[in-house]
Amino acid sequence: ISPYGTTNAPMLLSALSVTNILIDLTFSKPLDDSSTNTSNYAITGGAVIQGATLEPVERRGIALAMAPMTGGIYTLTLNAIVDMTPAQTPIATNTTAQIVIPSIVVKANNTTNLNLSLSWIGGVVPTNSDIAQWDSTVVGANVTSLGDDLSWSGILILNPGGNVTINGTNTLTLGQKGIDMSASTRLLTLNCPVVLGASQVWNITNTQTLKTDTITGTGGITKNGAGIWQLASPAGASTYS
């Protein structure tokens, strides 16, 4: 094995939307400088790639700067990306990846079960490609129930009029957007089983607390922020890998 890795062709290991203007790509081996050529990348849905930056140390990561994208599922196609070996081995022709840009669905000012359209502004229940948001639309403390097994890309708590509590015996599956309380003015309590659908970040500002019940799933959690994450379940009841 050379300093540039094996003689195998580079492969795309992951493609994640960090925000609606940034896509992070991870590859199996170091890439040549030409990997920053935006003509190597094409994306559906009218999205515009404005630039590509190669991570300078391991050279296995590419950050794609995007014009703002609306919520939806996009297909990214890669071509002519080569490794650092003298042979400059290329990636497989027309390598593709799905890019999910979550839409934000805002909680309405009521305590209607979260599986019902009346519970959300616009009458659309969030799905696994959406972020469920609590903001000043909710004018007081908000205690509600799942009503059914639900799957969201993430939860965003901003400035509702009171603390937010989600109850239920059904499961709430959270995707890669996790829980964002980085700008939260209120506490969030999840009195329901949480399933991790992907590795994710839970960001809790230093003035707030997140309380959770049982956690299962196949993803991992990275906690950011100086806020408190309180596990309400007995020791050992929350497990994930």
Side-chain angles (χ1 to χ4, degrees), residues 46-134:
V48 177
I49 300 171
Q50 297 181 323
T53 303
L54 177 62
E55 188 279 317
V57 179
E58 294 188 355
R59 304 177 65 90
R60 299 172 189 264
I62 290 285
L64 295 180
M66 308 296 298
M69 295 183 289
T70 57
I73 299 176
Y74 299 77
T75 298
L76 179 69
T77 303
L78 290 69
N79 280 296
I81 294 172
V82 300
D83 64 19
M84 291 182 63
T85 62
Q88 292 199 316
T89 308
I91 198 169
T93 301
N94 291 329
T95 293
T96 61
Q98 279 197 337
I99 306 296
V100 178
I101 305 297
S103 298
I104 290 179
V105 183
V106 177
K107 180 68 180 74
N109 184 37
N110 59 44
T111 59
T112 303
N113 284 359
L114 298 174
N115 65 317
L116 301 177
S117 60
L118 184 63
S119 192
W120 303 96
I121 297 295
V124 177
V125 178
T127 69
N128 59 5
S129 62
D130 300 320
I131 294 174
Q133 175 175 297
W134 275 255

Side-chain angles (χ1 to χ4, degrees), residues 114 132-134 142-144 146 152 154-158 160 162-167 172 174 178-182 184-192 194 202-205 207-213 228-232:
L114 298 174
Q133 175 175 297
W134 275 255
N142 194 235
V143 180
T144 187
L146 291 175
W152 302 337
I155 297 174
L156 175 60
I157 306 296
L158 294 175
N163 295 333
V164 175
T165 302
I166 299 176
N167 295 320
L172 174 60
L174 295 177
I179 298 174
D180 188 352
M181 298 176 65
S182 59
S184 176
T185 62
R186 301 296 180 182
L187 177 151
L188 170 63
T189 300
L190 298 178
N191 283 333
C192 60
V194 174
W202 291 8
N203 199 334
I204 310 167
T205 182
T207 61
Q208 293 303 326
T209 298
L210 167 65
K211 297 180 179 181
T212 60
D213 206 304
I228 297 171
W229 173 19
Q230 180 179 335
L231 292 167

Side-chain angles (χ1 to χ4, degrees), residues 6-46:
T6 68
T7 57
N8 296 332
M11 295 185 297
L12 180 65
L13 299 181
S14 67
L16 299 175
S17 60
V18 180
T19 67
N20 71 331
I21 58 171
L22 180 63
I23 296 172
D24 272 353
L25 307 178
T26 302
F27 294 85
S28 61
K29 60 189 305 188
L31 302 179
D32 183 72
D33 287 340
S34 62
S35 60
T36 60
N37 189 336
T38 56
S39 65
N40 296 335
Y41 309 91
I43 192 166
T44 60

